């Protein structure tokens, strides 16, 4: 359905895609309405001369995906199209939180036979100091400034130590074609990240790269349970019964640092003497014109110091880290499985953000597509020049922990702003889920294999009810009953031409922090 929401003097169409017979969550709708008060901020910034008089400045359209639910200022599942400016908060602070999906030549019975040895090995590598990702400052700076291309060019610095022994340069170069933006956003600076980068020539370990992060992030091995589109599945190397690797995480602390800097940039740019937005959402003009002494209350000396360029730098730093983080998590899992099961082939299908801002040209004009908790779902025409030109963009929609996940292909629907859901969407808050049904939770824990930093069966944790309670609460907050029905969420995508089903996967085991 489409709502026409009027804010100030501007009317903006909002397309809402929800399962049949359901209504949007009131708190989420209220948050959406509050967010759209940004049209008043646009007007005030226009009147104050912050925006260039020569440029078109407007909010064009909004869409919400089927997993739409309340966020923190901007709802999860919101897609927003603007012209002439961006809204950093509309991609969230976990910049380039996204999905990565691999195909493998493993079989489920191989994994099942080795689970008792494999799961402790995974815990050791992911949570007990076994990551083995040495990097020096040259590599970290190249990663932050140039993403996966930067890693490729500097990989020799690590001398194939630790996990780098699995890093094959030829394979990684080919894989760039299967990553949005080739996983490489060129940033001119690394503002605020000097301590993370460290010494140029000294190999060291950091506590960020190779981290899953909290909440609904995960690394999962999945069995392909059903094939819906045999032609596409075959082209993508998907077979019924085969094992896939799905990874969901983002830029973690690096992204939050970048989000903080972007908030400072936009707040400082806001005109002096004018009341600040009630909704706390600030805007950034597409480009501050050079040759003027100041914009708002921010002095501008040259291009690299402009608010726009600082925004690009810090956003690209975080995006590049997100791409690299998912890459290393995949290698970590491969390292663990190869040691306890067998060496195996792992081929990247696709890696794409669901928290980012895309630039899109339509009819010779440039627009910005903001996605917060929403996947890009471009169709065949938009994917021309990529390996997906004949199928559409791969869309990965995970369910809640323990439930099915889906692989779809984008149909490029402009009504949904070329977007799809990024998950099932929460039904209960984390606090509500912690106090959920005990019977359901116990049945869930018996059925699924979950690897977390805490092994509740460790002998030294017996009697440590404080630790075990905290561990159980974290699992409960992400249990299936906390989320919407993923099957219903996915069904909406086909009904509205947003994306078409390719395959359904079921978890073999899940790794969560």
């Amino acid at each position: 359905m489409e709502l026409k929401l009027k804010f100030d003097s501007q009317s903006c169409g909002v397309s809402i895609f929800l399962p049949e017979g359901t209504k949007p969550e009131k708190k989420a709708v209220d948050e959406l309405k509050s967010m759209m008060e940004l049209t008043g901020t646009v007007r005030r910034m226009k009147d104050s001369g912050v925006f260039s008089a020569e440029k078109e400045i407007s909010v064009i359209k909004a869409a919400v995906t089927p997993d739409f639910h309340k966020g923190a200022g901007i709802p999860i599942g919101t897609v927003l199209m603007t012209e002439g400016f961006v809204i950093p908060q509309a991609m969230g602070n976990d910049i380039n939180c996204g999905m990565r999906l691999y195909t493998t030549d493993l079989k489920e019975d191989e994994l099942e036979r080795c689970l008792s040895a494999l799961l402790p090995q995974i815990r050791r590598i992911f949570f007990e100091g076994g990551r083995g990702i040495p990097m020096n400052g040259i590599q970290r700076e190249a990663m932050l400034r140039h993403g996966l291309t930067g890693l490729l060019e500097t990989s020799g610095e690590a001398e194939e130590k630790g996990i780098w022994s699995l890093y094959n340069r030829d394979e990684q170069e080919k894989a760039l074609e299967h990553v949005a933006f080739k996983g490489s956003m060129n940033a001119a600076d690394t503002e605020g990240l000097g301590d993370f980068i460290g010494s140029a020539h000294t190999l060291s370990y950091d506590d960020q790269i190779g981290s899953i992060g909290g909440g609904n992030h995960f690394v999962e091995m999945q069995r392909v349970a059903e094939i819906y589109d045999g032609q596409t599945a075959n082209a993508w190397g998907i077979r019924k019964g085969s094992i896939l690797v799905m990874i969901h995480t983002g830029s973690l602390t690096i992204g939050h640092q970048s989000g903080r800097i972007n908030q400072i940039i936009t707040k400082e740019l806001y005109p002096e003497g004018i009341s600040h937005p009630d909704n706390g959402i600030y805007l950034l003009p597409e480009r501050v014109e050079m040759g003027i002494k100041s914009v708002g209350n921010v002095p501008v000396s040259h291009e690299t110091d402009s608010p726009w360029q600082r925004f690009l730098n810090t956003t690209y730093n975080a995006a590049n880290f997100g791409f690299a983080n998912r890459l290393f998590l995949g290698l970590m899992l491969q390292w663990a499985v190869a040691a306890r099961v067998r060496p195996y082939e792992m081929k990247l299908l696709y890696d794409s953000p669901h928290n980012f801002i895309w630039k899109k040209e339509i009819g010779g004009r440039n627009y910005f597509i903001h996605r917060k908790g929403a996947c890009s779902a471009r169709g065949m025409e938009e994917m021309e020049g990529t390996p997906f030109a004949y199928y559409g963009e791969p869309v990965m929609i995970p369910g809640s922990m323990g439930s099915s996940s889906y692989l779809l292909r984008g149909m490029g629907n402009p009504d949904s702003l070329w977007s799809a859901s990024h998950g099932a969407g929460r039904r209960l808050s984390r606090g509500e889920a912690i106090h959920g049904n005990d019977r359901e939770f116990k049945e869930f824990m018996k059925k699924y294999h979950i690897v977390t930093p805490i092994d509740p069966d460790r002998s030294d944790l017996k009697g440590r009810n404080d630790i075990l309670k905290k561990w159980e609460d974290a699992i409960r907050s992400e249990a299936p009953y906390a989320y919407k029905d993923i099957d219903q969420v996915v069904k909406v995508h086909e009904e509205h031409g947003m994306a078409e089903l390719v395959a359904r996967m079921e978890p073999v085991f899940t790794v969560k922090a």
Side-chain angles (χ1 to χ4, degrees):
M1 59 179 167
E2 176 163 289
L3 301 180
K4 283 292 182 183
L5 302 179
K6 190 171 176 108
F7 305 96
D8 296 323
S9 59
Q10 181 174 344
S11 180
C12 177
V14 181
S15 297
I16 298 181
F17 298 91
L18 294 173
E20 188 176 349
T22 64
K23 293 182 179 180
E25 176 189 316
K26 184 180 184 304
K27 289 181 179 179
V29 171
D30 289 344
E31 192 171 49
L32 178 67
K33 290 179 178 179
S34 175
M35 179 197 79
M36 291 303 295
E37 291 172 8
L38 62 88
T39 56
T41 305
V42 170
R43 175 177 47 76
R44 291 190 292 273
M45 293 182 76
K46 277 182 178 178
D47 294 343
S48 300
V50 176
F51 285 124
S52 168
E54 289 80 32
K55 291 192 178 217
E56 290 290 334
I57 307 292
S58 60
V59 180
I60 306 298
K61 181 177 171 59
V64 298
T65 60
D67 61 342
F68 176 61
H69 60 283
K70 188 181 182 306
I74 294 177
I76 310 300
T78 296
V79 188
L80 195 63
M81 183 177 182
T82 63
E83 183 176 16
F85 68 93
V86 296
I87 309 160
Q89 289 155 278
M91 64 176 164
N93 278 346
D94 194 3
I95 298 166
N96 188 15
C97 183
M99 307 294 300
R100 189 173 181 92
L101 186 67
Y102 291 96
T103 61
T104 80
D105 63 351
L106 287 165
K107 303 297 181 186
E108 184 179 15
D109 60 348
E110 292 181 284
L111 293 175
E112 291 286 355
R113 285 197 302 267
C114 300
L115 279 179
S116 60
L118 175 58
L119 299 187
Q121 175 75 349
I122 289 172
R123 181 176 287 110
R124 185 189 71 79
I125 288 176
F126 277 77
F127 305 122
E128 296 174 353
R131 294 179 194 169
I133 313 174
M135 298 176 74
N136 63 22
I138 291 173
Q139 290 177 286
R140 291 192 184 96
E141 182 167 4
M143 172 183 68
L144 293 169
R145 291 185 60 177
H146 306 295
L148 299 186
T149 301
L151 276 183
L152 186 69
E153 293 174 350
T154 61
S155 59
E157 296 281 331
E159 303 170 353
E160 295 191 354
K161 292 182 178 179
I163 208 159
W164 290 99
S165 63
L166 292 179
Y167 185 95
N168 182 294
R169 285 179 54 87
D170 291 338
E171 288 179 3
Q172 295 301 330
E173 187 169 15
K174 291 176 184 175
L176 293 177
E177 297 296 328
H178 293 256
V179 186
F181 311 110
K182 295 188 177 181
S184 308
M185 316 291 288
N186 290 320
D189 196 8
T190 53
E191 182 176 346
L193 297 173
D195 289 343
F196 171 75
I197 290 170
S199 174
H201 298 287
T202 302
L203 288 174
S204 61
Y205 299 86
D206 64 76
D207 62 357
Q208 289 299 298
I209 198 71
S211 297
I212 297 176
N216 61 354
H217 294 171
F218 64 85
V219 173
E220 192 167 84
M221 278 197 142
Q222 306 171 337
R223 176 182 65 88
V224 178
E226 290 187 74
I227 299 290
Y228 304 102
D229 178 348
Q231 182 178 6
T232 302
N234 184 62
W236 290 355
I238 309 291
R239 307 282 186 275
K240 188 171 183 178
S242 63
I243 297 296
L244 308 185
V245 175
M246 182 177 280
I247 298 168
H248 173 201
T249 193
S251 49
L252 310 171
T253 301
I254 304 297
H256 284 270
Q257 160 83 350
S258 296
R260 185 185 65 82
I261 293 172
N262 285 339
Q263 185 79 335
I264 291 171
I265 292 169
T266 53
K267 281 186 176 181
E268 288 181 342
L269 187 62
Y270 196 77
E272 288 184 338
I274 295 177
S275 60
H276 284 246
D278 290 337
N279 60 11
I281 297 172
Y282 293 84
L283 319 177
L284 180 65
E286 179 177 358
R287 185 170 296 277
V288 173
E289 302 298 332
M290 295 301 103
I292 55 179
K293 294 182 180 179
S294 65
V295 178
N297 58 344
V298 182
V300 177
S301 56
H302 52 82
E303 178 70 12
T304 57
D305 288 339
S306 75
W308 180 255
Q309 188 60 49
R310 286 181 68 201
F311 158 74
L312 290 182
N313 288 338
T314 192
T315 299
Y316 289 176
N317 291 159
N320 287 332
F321 180 89
F323 286 124
N325 195 37
R326 291 193 288 274
L327 163 65
F328 280 115
L329 286 166
L331 292 177
M332 286 160 58
L333 184 66
Q334 186 178 17
W335 204 16
V337 176
R340 292 293 181 267
V341 183
R342 66 169 171 85
Y344 65 99
E345 181 183 75
M346 194 168 77
K347 186 175 180 181
L348 180 64
L349 175 62
Y350 200 52
D351 184 312
S352 180
H354 50 237
N355 283 2
F356 204 61
I357 301 173
W358 285 251
K359 196 167 188 176
K360 186 172 182 64
E361 183 180 336
I362 305 173
R365 293 168 67 170
N366 289 323
Y367 301 92
F368 293 100
I369 308 294
H370 305 66
R371 295 185 176 98
K372 183 180 179 184
C375 292
S376 174
R378 294 169 291 178
M380 290 183 281
E381 183 178 348
E382 290 91 358
M383 297 305 288
E384 187 175 347
T386 78
F388 307 103
Y390 298 106
Y391 307 99
E393 187 169 21
V395 174
M396 298 153 275
I397 305 183
S400 60
M401 179 173 55
S403 66
S404 295
S405 295
Y406 286 86
L407 175 64
L408 303 90
R409 61 187 188 95
M411 300 302 289
N413 185 343
D415 289 335
S416 66
L417 293 176
W418 307 272
S419 303
S421 296
H422 87 308
R426 293 197 74 91
R427 183 175 65 86
L428 302 176
S429 70
R430 286 187 167 84
E432 290 169 332
I434 286 171
H435 299 98
N437 186 291
D438 287 340
R439 182 183 56 79
E440 282 188 80
F441 178 71
K442 288 176 181 177
E443 288 178 357
F444 162 68
M445 291 301 291
K446 286 179 183 177
K447 188 175 180 181
Y448 295 104
H449 301 289
I450 303 165
V451 184
T452 66
I454 296 294
D455 178 1
D457 295 325
R458 269 172 41 189
S459 58
D460 60 335
L461 291 181
K462 301 301 181 185
R464 289 302 308 270
N465 293 332
D466 55 337
I467 295 175
L468 294 175
K469 176 67 165 58
K470 188 175 181 180
W471 167 81
E472 183 176 308
D473 285 352
I475 300 295
R476 281 178 176 270
S477 70
E478 294 297 320
Y481 52 73
Y483 284 82
K484 298 174 184 175
D485 185 334
I486 184 63
D487 300 325
Q488 291 298 314
V489 167
V490 167
K491 184 179 179 183
V492 177
H493 291 79
E494 287 215 303
E495 290 175 343
H496 292 276
M498 301 163 72
E500 289 194 351
L501 283 165
V502 175
R504 179 177 69 84
M505 295 82 74
E506 295 175 345
V508 177
F509 63 81
T510 306
V511 188
K512 288 189 70 72

